[in-house]
Amino acid sequence: MPGDAAGRRGIESELQQAAPVLELRNLKLDYLTENRKTEVLRNLSFQIDSKADLSRGRKLAICGPSGSGKSTLLYILGGLLRPTSGSVSVFGQEIWSWDEARRARFRASSIGFVYQNFHLLPAWSVLDNVMLGADYVSAEQVPSLRERAMGLLDRLGLKGLEARTPSQLSGGQAQRVAIARALLMNPRIILADEPTGALDSATAQEIMTIFDELCDEGRTVILITHDEGVAQSCEQIIRLREGELDRIDEPDIQDSRSLSSAVEEVRWSTSPTKEALGLGGSGWSAVLQPLIWRRAWSSSWKLLRRNPSRNLLTLFGVAIGVAAVLSMITIGRFARERILESYDRLGVRSFRVWGYTNWNLPISTPLETYFREFKDEELAALTRLFPDLEHYSPTANFWGGQVSYGGRTVTEDVSMMGVNEHGLRLNELSLRSGRGISAIDVLERNAVCVIGSGVARELELTNLDFSNHQAEKPLLFIKTNRLNFACRVVGLLAEPKSASSRRGRVGQELILPHSYVRAIRGESPNSNEGDFNNVIFEVRPGADPQMLSKHVEQFFKQKYGVAGDFRASTNNRVLEQMQRFLEIFNGLLIGVAFVTLIVGATGVTNMILVSLGERLRELGLRRAVGAEPRDLRAMVIGESMALCGLAGLVGLVSSILLLHLVLYGVSLAFPQVKFVWTFDLLAISMSLISIVSVGIGSGLYPAVRAEQLDVVAALRAE
Ligand code: ADP
Ligand code: MG
């Protein structure tokens, strides 16, 4: 008794040659329609033994009035329709105790179906019709099956008709094509539902002769017939009436036919099986099998050809969607680059972050999160965290002081600022004479200062000569609400270019090393005068100051939570606004692209659903020749991937071309915009990802529908 090992070798070997051809016990089949039960087969029990001469097959007829359940019985025997109860065994095998995959292999290797109306696929050539079952074997097997198909067509007298379509055939020829299709995988059993019902008597006789030959080869033929003459030519006639066995007749057969000269030896256990061919892939992984792609391309091609205008329009949606994805990312990134370039060109590479204590904190706030001012260590750490931050200067602003020198006092408010060695440059202050604040000043907390032109005028220091390094520098005395200190003037600021750019009084600056400011103000708890409440950062060329400013702001917000109040902004409002607008615009485009893709995908889903409706017969036939439900599922996904892939690639390529055409046009219209070929890898890969997701997404629902196909209904559909 073959066990699991034999099962893996092949199903055919499991059919037992000497076991009864059919053994039915209490077979019942009910149809449930609108909660009404129709008993189609009631308690059918009989047994048909195999022949004593095992090299020849049986020829059985199933007869009975219309509606008596003959077709139903045939579908049950072929493993396509699950009985409600009872057992069926075919050559000793309880086919309904198997799982669907095993039954599918049984159909592929052991059963050939022939139908009354031939059930050829009208759009397919004769050869393609015969080769239907070859879709479910491995690719290496296909050439030999093609040869076999040609041989079968030749043998059935159809030589030279391979390329015709079914509409170009006579009834007899069509039925012979259907028989060739049934014989492709060399099945042990032929199940024929009124194979001569649609043929004239001469042609019917030809077909019956073919069936006789098939029996001589060792195949068992079970055919349904209304023709008593045909029935009488069979060894046994199973007569049904209203779903029950009427009787089994055994007519005397006068074997008048001449034995065919070239009979094909049907050997047990030689048919290729899916498992032997490595087609056992389970579930969705079947989608990855190359075989499915071959099939998907050919069936999508057929689908496109069937209704080109409607389907191309649908696919146009997917193409547009993909084009939208590509353009939105490319344009977005292109514009971003241009804006960054503008930042660079305008020299706006800096941004400022303000941070203040949040005085509205609840009393219970833990002390460690308290924020008073920016600390130097913290800023140094920040530049390590964000390598694109090149320089920074902590800045302490304070106002309201009196500055005196040589009996003169500046009466107007002076804007005092503690900075580091980058401070002057980052604050866009340039020197007229002398020097700025140096790193050594910062390190040594030198009591030095650089003064603005206004201060210099009022103190009559405008003509200071800094060339003599030995000369004593003028010592200024500064008095604010709380602080009293002195500093020596080491440099004079140039007259400001524009009055609008900075806050504080123009020309009224007094710049000090930040370490000196820290030293003189001490750690007074009562005042925040001289606190470092803002930092100016400079980013590396090419980096995005706006984005970094957001990151830095976020850094402090996260570190101090509600304890601090942080705000960041770049020094260019216009660009910042533009960038913000661009982000919103880009977000909108993403939305549009997304919606377009969804619409495109829905179109494809619909198109495949419609095509599945039109192809019910094909799907049913595929199941009959051995496809499993998951094979149909994979086929549909494959088709939708193939269609979306095609459309998506068209969209991708054409949008790249169109985009460059537009960019070229822009570069002609605005000479300052230079034309460059941009292949945005992100955009291209996002487009590819969206192609694949639309392909899978739009195929999912139809795939599940195909998987759940009611095979018998599909085969009965006219
Ligand atoms: P036969 O082939 O002997 O003419 P069938 O096996 O095709 O008969 O059908 C047997 C009975 O089952 C018929 O009465 C038919 O109306 C009924 N039947 C077939 N298919 C269905 C179905 N899907 N739902 C309900 N009844 C059905
Ligand atoms: Mg019928």
Side-chain angles (χ1 to χ4, degrees), residues 14-66:
E14 289 188 47
L15 293 187
Q16 292 156 23
Q17 209 166 353
V21 177
L22 292 179
E23 208 179 338
L24 275 56
R25 255 172 282 114
N26 304 327
L27 187 69
K28 280 193 188 140
L29 188 117
D30 302 330
Y31 274 118
L32 272 179
T33 34
E34 288 151 19
N35 299 327
R36 262 192 51 240
K37 196 167 78 173
T38 319
E39 294 184 333
V40 177
L41 296 178
R42 326 162 190 232
N43 229 11
L44 210 53
S45 299
F46 62 83
Q47 179 171 334
I48 309 280
D49 289 322
S50 56
K51 275 188 169 174
D53 173 7
L54 291 177
S55 69
R56 298 190 67 191
R58 280 225 177 265
K59 188 174 163 203
L60 308 173
I62 302 176
C63 293
S66 180

Side-chain angles (χ1 to χ4, degrees), residues 510-581:
L510 187 129
I511 320 283
L512 303 149
H514 74 85
S515 51
Y516 181 56
V517 173
R518 282 187 210 273
I520 55 179
R521 71 152 209 232
E523 291 299 326
S524 160
N526 299 323
S527 163
N528 59 340
E529 194 172 61
D531 279 358
F532 288 81
N533 288 114
N534 84 68
V535 191
I536 185 158
F537 289 95
E538 184 179 47
V539 304
R540 280 178 213 290
D544 179 352
Q546 218 235 320
M547 197 180 71
L548 276 161
S549 75
K550 277 193 205 146
H551 286 327
V552 170
E553 186 181 327
Q554 208 50 42
F555 170 86
F556 285 112
K557 279 185 172 156
Q558 245 156 42
K559 182 163 179 190
Y560 291 104
V562 289
D565 210 355
F566 299 96
R567 215 154 29 79
S569 92
T570 63
N571 284 351
N572 194 310
R573 291 270 161 211
V574 177
L575 281 182
E576 205 171 299
Q577 292 297 329
M578 224 162 101
Q579 205 162 347
R580 203 157 293 154
F581 168 76

Side-chain angles (χ1 to χ4, degrees), residues 181-251:
R181 176 178 63 196
L183 290 175
L184 183 73
M185 303 297 282
N186 197 16
R188 183 71 199 172
I189 303 160
I190 304 289
L191 300 177
D193 193 345
E194 302 189 38
T196 58
L199 303 176
D200 61 75
S201 58
T203 319
Q205 189 51 52
E206 282 171 33
I207 296 295
M208 288 313 294
T209 311
I210 294 170
F211 283 132
D212 287 335
E213 287 177 16
L214 298 181
C215 289
D216 293 338
E217 290 169 7
R219 293 179 224 273
T220 292
V221 174
I222 303 175
L223 54 90
I224 294 172
T225 183
H226 278 121
D227 183 334
E228 199 54 38
V230 168
Q232 291 298 330
S233 75
C234 294
E235 294 155 10
Q236 272 157 323
I237 307 171
I238 301 157
R239 295 193 189 272
L240 299 183
R241 185 192 290 158
E242 291 179 9
E244 288 180 70
L245 185 68
D246 187 10
R247 60 176 196 278
I248 297 183
D249 287 344
E250 296 200 23

